[in-house]
Structures are given as C-alpha cells and as structure tokens.
Amino acid sequence: MRGLEALPFAANLYKVPVAEGYFLVDAGLPWEAGRLLRLLREPPRLLFLTHHHTDHSGGAQALWKRFGLPILAHPREWPYLTKEKPRPPLPIPLLGHLIANLAPPLPREALRPAEEGEVVWGWRVVELPGHTLGQVGLFREGLLIAGDALRGKGLPPRFTNEDPELTKKTVRKILDLGAREVYIGHGGPLSREEVEALALRLGV
C-alpha cells in the first residue's frame, strides 16, 4: 500500500498512513525507544501492538508517556503488557526469564482492545494466534501486517511459539483472508505465492 513505511528496528515497525497523519504498528525493544522517539517527528494517532513480546512492545511505555496515545492490543496480551503476568522465559540458561520480561509495564488505562473484526482507520483486525495466543494483525485491500505469524519464508522458531500447532493453522488463515502481500516482524514482505509454498510444506 502506498505510504506504508517499514522502520527497521530489532523487529520491523510500521508507519501506516491515514488521512489525519499515521499510526504505528509495534514499538521495538525498550532500549530502542529513544531512537524511535527521535525518528517520530509527528506523534502517531495510536499504537497497535501485534503481540506482547519485548521486541515488539518494549518501547510502548515510552510512546505512551510522551504522547498519551491509545495502545491497541488483544486482551489476551494485556496481562503480559501490564506485567500482571510474567512472559514465558526464553530458552537461555539463567537469563531467559529476565530477558523476556525487560519491557517496562503499561498502565491498564493506556490499553484498548483489538479483537477480530474491529476496524482501525480502515484496517480490519484479524487474530493470528500461535506465536502468542493473542497475536493480531491488520488487513486491508489484500495487504496483511502480520507481526510474527510468519518469519522469513517460514514460521518463527518453534521454541518461541506458545502453540506451535495453532501457528501452522494461522498460515492457512492468512491465505483464506485473501492476503496478496504479507508484512512481517522479521524479514521482508512475502508474496501470496511464498505463503502458499509454506502452507504446502506444512500440509495445512
């Protein structure tokens, strides 16, 4: 889509143009927040979080403190974003829990629900569970912003997925949506043909 801009942080962030400016998808790691704030000359209309993992949500608190903007995320992700519930540890000896939970907490009042079928500035929210149970993306005119539903030309590493079998089913859902181009959290955009090839390999 014309004007969609990828920002290459630890995970891809996306500036999505709207008539009144733009909104931001995902927020990078906590220590990337200063660079992100310097890059955003105009405040975003809102922040849309695809899922709770620290490389996608770590800068959210800084954005909220600076701009007071609403932060949209699936309610399943909220307990991790507020730190009412610890994120699952990464498979790193001794440090896995610490690294997974470095993102500062968001206050409940900052959060707004983003659930299947809701519309955000003309984009439809779609649930893409598996990598996390509350992962969501945005779909419009054949273009899908998909978070970590896909990674490279495959799936995210199995150990990072909360439900590996559900992650596979989400590949089929992406095709059933009619997505022609898929923008992901790590790597460049994928064509429909590339997602079809993955579905064939997975048998879904």
PDB file of all heavy atoms in Angstrom, residues 1-2 121-124 138-145 177-183:
ATOM      1  N   MET A   1       0.851  -1.198   0.000  1.00  0.00           N
ATOM      2  CA  MET A   1       0.000   0.000   0.000  1.00  0.00           C
ATOM      3  C   MET A   1       0.881   1.240   0.000  1.00  0.00           C
ATOM      4  O   MET A   1       1.862   1.303   0.742  1.00  0.00           O
ATOM      5  CB  MET A   1      -0.922   0.009   1.224  1.00  0.00           C
ATOM      6  CG  MET A   1      -1.752   1.279   1.363  1.00  0.00           C
ATOM      7  SD  MET A   1      -3.014   1.141   2.637  1.00  0.00           S
ATOM      8  CE  MET A   1      -4.151   0.027   1.832  1.00  0.00           C
ATOM      9  N   ARG A   2       0.521   2.190  -0.832  1.00  0.00           N
ATOM     10  CA  ARG A   2       1.318   3.410  -0.933  1.00  0.00           C
ATOM     11  C   ARG A   2       1.435   4.095   0.431  1.00  0.00           C
ATOM     12  O   ARG A   2       0.460   4.302   1.128  1.00  0.00           O
ATOM     13  CB  ARG A   2       0.683   4.365  -1.941  1.00  0.00           C
ATOM     14  CG  ARG A   2       1.421   5.693  -2.049  1.00  0.00           C
ATOM     15  CD  ARG A   2       0.780   6.620  -3.050  1.00  0.00           C
ATOM     16  NE  ARG A   2       0.956   6.147  -4.421  1.00  0.00           N
ATOM     17  CZ  ARG A   2       0.526   6.811  -5.491  1.00  0.00           C
ATOM     18  NH1 ARG A   2      -0.122   7.949  -5.340  1.00  0.00           N
ATOM     19  NH2 ARG A   2       0.735   6.326  -6.700  1.00  0.00           N
ATOM     20  N   TRP A 121      -8.955   2.628  11.599  1.00  0.00           N
ATOM     21  CA  TRP A 121      -8.620   3.538  10.498  1.00  0.00           C
ATOM     22  C   TRP A 121      -8.695   2.839   9.140  1.00  0.00           C
ATOM     23  O   TRP A 121      -7.817   2.982   8.292  1.00  0.00           O
ATOM     24  CB  TRP A 121      -7.247   4.172  10.701  1.00  0.00           C
ATOM     25  CG  TRP A 121      -7.161   5.095  11.875  1.00  0.00           C
ATOM     26  CD1 TRP A 121      -6.674   4.799  13.107  1.00  0.00           C
ATOM     27  CD2 TRP A 121      -7.584   6.458  11.946  1.00  0.00           C
ATOM     28  NE1 TRP A 121      -6.762   5.877  13.930  1.00  0.00           N
ATOM     29  CE2 TRP A 121      -7.309   6.914  13.240  1.00  0.00           C
ATOM     30  CE3 TRP A 121      -8.160   7.341  11.015  1.00  0.00           C
ATOM     31  CZ2 TRP A 121      -7.605   8.212  13.655  1.00  0.00           C
ATOM     32  CZ3 TRP A 121      -8.444   8.627  11.431  1.00  0.00           C
ATOM     33  CH2 TRP A 121      -8.176   9.052  12.730  1.00  0.00           C
ATOM     34  N   GLY A 122      -9.755   2.055   8.938  1.00  0.00           N
ATOM     35  CA  GLY A 122      -9.961   1.379   7.667  1.00  0.00           C
ATOM     36  C   GLY A 122      -9.304   0.014   7.550  1.00  0.00           C
ATOM     37  O   GLY A 122      -9.507  -0.688   6.560  1.00  0.00           O
ATOM     38  N   TRP A 123      -8.507  -0.389   8.538  1.00  0.00           N
ATOM     39  CA  TRP A 123      -7.862  -1.701   8.558  1.00  0.00           C
ATOM     40  C   TRP A 123      -8.657  -2.641   9.462  1.00  0.00           C
ATOM     41  O   TRP A 123      -9.034  -2.265  10.577  1.00  0.00           O
ATOM     42  CB  TRP A 123      -6.438  -1.597   9.086  1.00  0.00           C
ATOM     43  CG  TRP A 123      -5.502  -0.856   8.181  1.00  0.00           C
ATOM     44  CD1 TRP A 123      -5.441   0.490   7.985  1.00  0.00           C
ATOM     45  CD2 TRP A 123      -4.501  -1.423   7.344  1.00  0.00           C
ATOM     46  NE1 TRP A 123      -4.454   0.805   7.082  1.00  0.00           N
ATOM     47  CE2 TRP A 123      -3.855  -0.353   6.674  1.00  0.00           C
ATOM     48  CE3 TRP A 123      -4.066  -2.729   7.097  1.00  0.00           C
ATOM     49  CZ2 TRP A 123      -2.809  -0.557   5.771  1.00  0.00           C
ATOM     50  CZ3 TRP A 123      -3.021  -2.937   6.214  1.00  0.00           C
ATOM     51  CH2 TRP A 123      -2.408  -1.853   5.563  1.00  0.00           C
ATOM     52  N   ARG A 124      -8.880  -3.865   9.025  1.00  0.00           N
ATOM     53  CA  ARG A 124      -9.615  -4.846   9.821  1.00  0.00           C
ATOM     54  C   ARG A 124      -8.652  -5.639  10.699  1.00  0.00           C
ATOM     55  O   ARG A 124      -7.626  -6.142  10.222  1.00  0.00           O
ATOM     56  CB  ARG A 124     -10.397  -5.787   8.912  1.00  0.00           C
ATOM     57  CG  ARG A 124     -11.165  -6.881   9.657  1.00  0.00           C
ATOM     58  CD  ARG A 124     -12.291  -7.448   8.807  1.00  0.00           C
ATOM     59  NE  ARG A 124     -11.815  -8.037   7.579  1.00  0.00           N
ATOM     60  CZ  ARG A 124     -11.522  -9.331   7.414  1.00  0.00           C
ATOM     61  NH1 ARG A 124     -11.636 -10.162   8.442  1.00  0.00           N
ATOM     62  NH2 ARG A 124     -11.124  -9.792   6.253  1.00  0.00           N
ATOM     63  N   LEU A 138      -3.339  -6.662  10.958  1.00  0.00           N
ATOM     64  CA  LEU A 138      -4.234  -5.709  10.299  1.00  0.00           C
ATOM     65  C   LEU A 138      -4.299  -6.045   8.815  1.00  0.00           C
ATOM     66  O   LEU A 138      -3.265  -6.262   8.172  1.00  0.00           O
ATOM     67  CB  LEU A 138      -3.721  -4.277  10.490  1.00  0.00           C
ATOM     68  CG  LEU A 138      -3.781  -3.729  11.908  1.00  0.00           C
ATOM     69  CD1 LEU A 138      -2.971  -2.435  12.016  1.00  0.00           C
ATOM     70  CD2 LEU A 138      -5.231  -3.480  12.334  1.00  0.00           C
ATOM     71  N   PHE A 139      -5.528  -6.054   8.270  1.00  0.00           N
ATOM     72  CA  PHE A 139      -5.742  -6.456   6.879  1.00  0.00           C
ATOM     73  C   PHE A 139      -6.546  -5.386   6.148  1.00  0.00           C
ATOM     74  O   PHE A 139      -7.536  -4.872   6.657  1.00  0.00           O
ATOM     75  CB  PHE A 139      -6.504  -7.783   6.851  1.00  0.00           C
ATOM     76  CG  PHE A 139      -6.734  -8.308   5.462  1.00  0.00           C
ATOM     77  CD1 PHE A 139      -5.698  -8.844   4.715  1.00  0.00           C
ATOM     78  CD2 PHE A 139      -8.001  -8.267   4.900  1.00  0.00           C
ATOM     79  CE1 PHE A 139      -5.905  -9.334   3.431  1.00  0.00           C
ATOM     80  CE2 PHE A 139      -8.223  -8.754   3.614  1.00  0.00           C
ATOM     81  CZ  PHE A 139      -7.170  -9.292   2.881  1.00  0.00           C
ATOM     82  N   ARG A 140      -6.067  -5.087   4.918  1.00  0.00           N
ATOM     83  CA  ARG A 140      -6.790  -4.132   4.082  1.00  0.00           C
ATOM     84  C   ARG A 140      -6.354  -4.305   2.629  1.00  0.00           C
ATOM     85  O   ARG A 140      -5.156  -4.302   2.347  1.00  0.00           O
ATOM     86  CB  ARG A 140      -6.503  -2.697   4.544  1.00  0.00           C
ATOM     87  CG  ARG A 140      -7.251  -1.630   3.758  1.00  0.00           C
ATOM     88  CD  ARG A 140      -6.960  -0.256   4.318  1.00  0.00           C
ATOM     89  NE  ARG A 140      -7.695   0.771   3.597  1.00  0.00           N
ATOM     90  CZ  ARG A 140      -7.648   2.064   3.878  1.00  0.00           C
ATOM     91  NH1 ARG A 140      -6.904   2.492   4.888  1.00  0.00           N
ATOM     92  NH2 ARG A 140      -8.341   2.931   3.176  1.00  0.00           N
ATOM     93  N   GLU A 141      -7.329  -4.468   1.759  1.00  0.00           N
ATOM     94  CA  GLU A 141      -7.094  -4.486   0.314  1.00  0.00           C
ATOM     95  C   GLU A 141      -5.975  -5.451  -0.081  1.00  0.00           C
ATOM     96  O   GLU A 141      -5.081  -5.131  -0.859  1.00  0.00           O
ATOM     97  CB  GLU A 141      -6.771  -3.070  -0.176  1.00  0.00           C
ATOM     98  CG  GLU A 141      -7.907  -2.089   0.039  1.00  0.00           C
ATOM     99  CD  GLU A 141      -7.529  -0.654  -0.311  1.00  0.00           C
ATOM    100  OE1 GLU A 141      -6.398  -0.428  -0.770  1.00  0.00           O
ATOM    101  OE2 GLU A 141      -8.384   0.231  -0.113  1.00  0.00           O
ATOM    102  N   GLY A 142      -6.010  -6.653   0.486  1.00  0.00           N
ATOM    103  CA  GLY A 142      -5.048  -7.680   0.130  1.00  0.00           C
ATOM    104  C   GLY A 142      -3.727  -7.611   0.859  1.00  0.00           C
ATOM    105  O   GLY A 142      -2.868  -8.475   0.674  1.00  0.00           O
ATOM    106  N   LEU A 143      -3.526  -6.608   1.680  1.00  0.00           N
ATOM    107  CA  LEU A 143      -2.269  -6.432   2.406  1.00  0.00           C
ATOM    108  C   LEU A 143      -2.489  -6.769   3.875  1.00  0.00           C
ATOM    109  O   LEU A 143      -3.427  -6.289   4.498  1.00  0.00           O
ATOM    110  CB  LEU A 143      -1.773  -4.993   2.253  1.00  0.00           C
ATOM    111  CG  LEU A 143      -0.355  -4.687   2.745  1.00  0.00           C
ATOM    112  CD1 LEU A 143       0.196  -3.484   1.978  1.00  0.00           C
ATOM    113  CD2 LEU A 143      -0.342  -4.365   4.239  1.00  0.00           C
ATOM    114  N   LEU A 144      -1.607  -7.587   4.419  1.00  0.00           N
ATOM    115  CA  LEU A 144      -1.686  -8.001   5.816  1.00  0.00           C
ATOM    116  C   LEU A 144      -0.409  -7.615   6.547  1.00  0.00           C
ATOM    117  O   LEU A 144       0.692  -7.935   6.101  1.00  0.00           O
ATOM    118  CB  LEU A 144      -1.889  -9.520   5.907  1.00  0.00           C
ATOM    119  CG  LEU A 144      -1.922 -10.122   7.316  1.00  0.00           C
ATOM    120  CD1 LEU A 144      -3.145  -9.652   8.091  1.00  0.00           C
ATOM    121  CD2 LEU A 144      -1.871 -11.648   7.250  1.00  0.00           C
ATOM    122  N   ILE A 145      -0.563  -6.901   7.658  1.00  0.00           N
ATOM    123  CA  ILE A 145       0.535  -6.670   8.596  1.00  0.00           C
ATOM    124  C   ILE A 145       0.388  -7.739   9.668  1.00  0.00           C
ATOM    125  O   ILE A 145      -0.589  -7.737  10.416  1.00  0.00           O
ATOM    126  CB  ILE A 145       0.483  -5.254   9.187  1.00  0.00           C
ATOM    127  CG1 ILE A 145       0.521  -4.201   8.066  1.00  0.00           C
ATOM    128  CG2 ILE A 145       1.643  -5.039  10.159  1.00  0.00           C
ATOM    129  CD1 ILE A 145       0.297  -2.776   8.548  1.00  0.00           C
ATOM    130  N   LEU A 177      -7.830 -15.420   4.082  1.00  0.00           N
ATOM    131  CA  LEU A 177      -8.183 -13.991   4.099  1.00  0.00           C
ATOM    132  C   LEU A 177      -8.130 -13.377   2.707  1.00  0.00           C
ATOM    133  O   LEU A 177      -8.757 -12.353   2.446  1.00  0.00           O
ATOM    134  CB  LEU A 177      -7.209 -13.217   4.994  1.00  0.00           C
ATOM    135  CG  LEU A 177      -7.376 -13.275   6.499  1.00  0.00           C
ATOM    136  CD1 LEU A 177      -6.169 -12.625   7.163  1.00  0.00           C
ATOM    137  CD2 LEU A 177      -8.659 -12.572   6.933  1.00  0.00           C
ATOM    138  N   GLY A 178      -7.319 -13.988   1.840  1.00  0.00           N
ATOM    139  CA  GLY A 178      -7.080 -13.401   0.524  1.00  0.00           C
ATOM    140  C   GLY A 178      -5.870 -12.493   0.495  1.00  0.00           C
ATOM    141  O   GLY A 178      -5.749 -11.651  -0.403  1.00  0.00           O
ATOM    142  N   ALA A 179      -4.974 -12.652   1.474  1.00  0.00           N
ATOM    143  CA  ALA A 179      -3.783 -11.793   1.518  1.00  0.00           C
ATOM    144  C   ALA A 179      -2.922 -12.026   0.281  1.00  0.00           C
ATOM    145  O   ALA A 179      -2.607 -13.162  -0.068  1.00  0.00           O
ATOM    146  CB  ALA A 179      -2.983 -12.075   2.782  1.00  0.00           C
ATOM    147  N   ARG A 180      -2.523 -10.931  -0.358  1.00  0.00           N
ATOM    148  CA  ARG A 180      -1.628 -10.997  -1.515  1.00  0.00           C
ATOM    149  C   ARG A 180      -0.202 -10.588  -1.150  1.00  0.00           C
ATOM    150  O   ARG A 180       0.736 -10.938  -1.839  1.00  0.00           O
ATOM    151  CB  ARG A 180      -2.147 -10.089  -2.642  1.00  0.00           C
ATOM    152  CG  ARG A 180      -3.525 -10.460  -3.165  1.00  0.00           C
ATOM    153  CD  ARG A 180      -3.861  -9.681  -4.425  1.00  0.00           C
ATOM    154  NE  ARG A 180      -3.791  -8.239  -4.207  1.00  0.00           N
ATOM    155  CZ  ARG A 180      -4.811  -7.489  -3.779  1.00  0.00           C
ATOM    156  NH1 ARG A 180      -5.977  -8.043  -3.504  1.00  0.00           N
ATOM    157  NH2 ARG A 180      -4.666  -6.175  -3.614  1.00  0.00           N
ATOM    158  N   GLU A 181      -0.073  -9.832  -0.076  1.00  0.00           N
ATOM    159  CA  GLU A 181       1.240  -9.374   0.376  1.00  0.00           C
ATOM    160  C   GLU A 181       1.214  -9.330   1.894  1.00  0.00           C
ATOM    161  O   GLU A 181       0.273  -8.800   2.490  1.00  0.00           O
ATOM    162  CB  GLU A 181       1.549  -7.991  -0.199  1.00  0.00           C
ATOM    163  CG  GLU A 181       2.992  -7.584  -0.108  1.00  0.00           C
ATOM    164  CD  GLU A 181       3.294  -6.341  -0.931  1.00  0.00           C
ATOM    165  OE1 GLU A 181       2.349  -5.644  -1.347  1.00  0.00           O
ATOM    166  OE2 GLU A 181       4.488  -6.057  -1.132  1.00  0.00           O
ATOM    167  N   VAL A 182       2.246  -9.906   2.519  1.00  0.00           N
ATOM    168  CA  VAL A 182       2.264 -10.041   3.978  1.00  0.00           C
ATOM    169  C   VAL A 182       3.517  -9.371   4.528  1.00  0.00           C
ATOM    170  O   VAL A 182       4.647  -9.759   4.196  1.00  0.00           O
ATOM    171  CB  VAL A 182       2.220 -11.524   4.401  1.00  0.00           C
ATOM    172  CG1 VAL A 182       2.161 -11.630   5.933  1.00  0.00           C
ATOM    173  CG2 VAL A 182       1.034 -12.242   3.767  1.00  0.00           C
ATOM    174  N   TYR A 183       3.305  -8.367   5.366  1.00  0.00           N
ATOM    175  CA  TYR A 183       4.404  -7.644   6.013  1.00  0.00           C
ATOM    176  C   TYR A 183       4.597  -8.237   7.402  1.00  0.00           C
ATOM    177  O   TYR A 183       3.653  -8.305   8.189  1.00  0.00           O
ATOM    178  CB  TYR A 183       4.092  -6.150   6.079  1.00  0.00           C
ATOM    179  CG  TYR A 183       4.243  -5.477   4.739  1.00  0.00           C
ATOM    180  CD1 TYR A 183       3.262  -5.608   3.763  1.00  0.00           C
ATOM    181  CD2 TYR A 183       5.380  -4.734   4.434  1.00  0.00           C
ATOM    182  CE1 TYR A 183       3.401  -5.007   2.515  1.00  0.00           C
ATOM    183  CE2 TYR A 183       5.537  -4.129   3.197  1.00  0.00           C
ATOM    184  CZ  TYR A 183       4.541  -4.272   2.244  1.00  0.00           C
ATOM    185  OH  TYR A 183       4.697  -3.693   1.012  1.00  0.00           O
TER     186      TYR A 183
END
